[in-house]
Amino acid sequence: TYTNLEIILVDDGSPDNCPAMCDAWKSRDPRITVIHQKNGGLSVARNGGMKLATGEFIGFVDSDDWIERNMVERLLSALLETDADIATCCFQQEREGSKDNKEYLKSLERRLLSSDEALKQLFLGKRFIQNVVWNKLFRRTVISDLLFPVGKLYEDGLWTAKALGNARKIVSIDYPFYHYLYRPESLSHDARQKRKRFEDEYEMIQQRIDYIHENKPSLEKLAPSARAKVMVLIWSAMTRYAILLLPSYFLSVIFSTS
């Protein structure tokens, strides 16, 4: 419902018909710009789109997902009316081919949070602030110096924490404007991939602890919760994924608490 958009489609070396579809959409809509690049992963695609974007506000939509027609309008209105730097909403998880997707209890309740309050919600895993970037609209000034880490899983984790740290105010709308497509079969069962998932998440959590320590000393009390999450992650990797871990993982957590 909001039409003053610059839409950047990033073809990250797709092997199917997506490149042609992107070009076809571009020919029909002058708001669309298409980037064709070699496959570099999600972070490379996002970084490339951000570099090309010229708008004052930036949002992200991942492939296969979809958004409500009024998502941009609602988030932008909330952001401008509250003079916030980031607007976020809830999301609906959709399962491919399933007719039994659970309906979200919908409302349009708003919550206005300070930077510290939003980071606290993020660290404690609260409902209104999540790691992901795709259910948010960012004022360009708070993310202009941020890049997504290339070659990493959980690429949103530290990036989102830094964006929240740069913001003055964050407004949250309790409504699932974003629809996230969940594909169980897309999760790799390869042992090497499982280990990478663990290592990247472990690194991300440790980096967020370091970020709080260096930039938000008033939130140091959140560090024990984050370290507890690290221990849970380690235990889960060893039991659920049968990953044999080196003692250094445990030592890093022990030493970081001293």
Side-chain angles (χ1 to χ4, degrees), residues 15-202:
D16 55 21
N17 196 40
C18 285
M21 292 172 64
C22 290
D23 290 338
W25 287 327
K26 177 184 177 181
S27 68
R28 296 196 298 266
D29 192 332
R31 300 175 302 171
I32 294 178
T33 299
V34 177
I35 300 175
H36 295 291
Q37 62 185 34
K38 293 182 179 179
N39 178 251
L42 182 56
S43 290
V44 172
R46 287 177 177 169
N47 290 339
M50 286 178 62
K51 184 177 181 179
L52 197 63
T54 61
E56 184 181 352
F57 306 96
I58 296 178
F60 304 89
V61 179
D62 282 359
S63 59
D64 296 330
D65 299 346
W66 68 95
I67 63 175
E68 298 284 336
R69 293 177 63 87
N70 61 344
M71 174 176 167
V72 175
E73 180 185 16
R74 288 287 190 174
L75 291 186
L76 182 59
S77 294
L79 194 152
L80 294 176
E81 289 169 10
T82 60
D83 191 33
D85 291 322
I86 300 173
T88 182
C89 65
C90 300
F91 63 90
Q92 177 81 44
Q93 180 173 285
E94 310 285 354
R95 290 180 176 268
E96 188 176 34
S98 174
K99 297 181 179 180
D100 300 319
N101 293 310
K102 294 182 179 179
E103 278 294 315
Y104 192 96
L105 295 177
K106 299 176 180 179
S107 76
L108 288 172
E109 181 182 354
R110 290 183 184 178
R111 286 173 172 79
L112 190 61
L113 306 171
S114 67
S115 175
D116 284 6
E117 289 169 337
L119 281 168
K120 183 177 180 180
Q121 291 249 336
L122 178 69
F123 268 72
L124 297 180
K126 298 298 183 180
R127 167 181 165 187
F128 297 105
I129 301 292
Q130 299 95 4
N131 282 326
V132 295
V133 300
W134 34 251
N135 65 339
K136 299 175 178 64
L137 185 65
F138 301 89
R139 198 180 292 272
R140 186 189 190 93
T141 52
V142 302
I143 62 172
S144 59
D145 62 339
L146 301 181
L147 291 175
F148 291 94
V150 176
K152 297 289 185 181
L153 302 173
Y154 300 99
E155 66 287 326
D156 294 2
L158 181 62
W159 194 96
T160 299
K162 289 181 176 181
L164 295 173
N166 289 344
R168 297 167 298 123
K169 293 184 287 187
I170 298 90
V171 59
S172 171
I173 306 177
D174 189 19
Y175 190 96
F177 291 111
Y178 194 97
H179 295 262
Y180 166 71
L181 183 62
Y182 175 70
R183 288 175 165 172
E185 70 273 16
S186 69
L187 300 178
S188 174
H189 295 287
D190 179 75
R192 189 180 307 173
Q193 182 71 359
K194 288 178 182 177
R195 187 178 185 94
K196 177 171 175 54
R197 291 182 69 86
F198 160 77
E199 290 177 341
D200 286 357
E201 185 176 8
Y202 174 90

